[in-house]
Amino acid sequence: VQLQASGGGLVQAGGSLRLSCAASGGIVSRNAMGWYRQAPGKQRELVAVITSGGNTNYADSVKGRFTISRDNAKNTVYLQMNSLKPEDTGVYYCNAVVSGLFSKGTQVTVSS
């Protein structure tokens, strides 16, 4: 089973990006899936999670700006990030919650 995150990049403050996490083995439909990020010099933090039933939860710092979603047919989880701020800069990872599996990271850089 593998997770592959993509979609990072450089964007100006106020802009948007959509991250994708493609999974093998059909784990997206069976697992709670999450997105984490790690800013330079900081610990990795949970940004958003979506349960197998579709319930979502967000870190306070991204509520109202980020949306996590899933496409079970495509075995893919998304993170739509709007109104990006410089403090959103970091390496973003997707995670299969139960297994603890993490993807390699994708860099998001928000310039002021």
Side-chain angles (χ1 to χ4, degrees):
V1 176
Q2 290 185 328
L3 301 175
Q4 185 168 2
S6 61
L10 173 64
V11 64
Q12 288 188 332
S16 298
L17 284 173
R18 187 176 81 156
L19 306 183
S20 299
C21 176
S24 62
I27 65 172
V28 168
S29 62
R30 300 193 302 269
N31 281 269
M33 301 293 296
W35 283 97
Y36 283 75
R37 69 185 178 192
Q38 187 165 18
K42 295 187 177 181
Q43 290 187 332
R44 190 176 295 187
E45 63 172 346
L46 179 63
V47 174
V49 64
I50 184 167
T51 69
S52 57
N55 294 318
T56 58
N57 201 12
Y58 299 91
D60 288 343
S61 58
V62 307
K63 281 181 181 177
R65 300 187 297 122
F66 290 12
T67 303
I68 188 171
S69 62
R70 66 199 303 152
D71 185 331
N72 290 340
K74 294 183 178 179
N75 277 321
T76 301
V77 179
Y78 303 98
L79 185 68
Q80 178 67 44
M81 305 186 295
N82 298 329
S83 301
L84 282 161
K85 304 176 180 180
E87 51 263 44
D88 295 317
T89 294
V91 181
Y92 284 69
Y93 305 84
C94 69
N95 164 252
V97 174
V98 172
S99 70
L101 182 67
F102 279 90
S103 68
K104 291 183 180 179
T106 184
Q107 176 71 45
V108 172
T109 303
V110 184
S111 63
S112 58

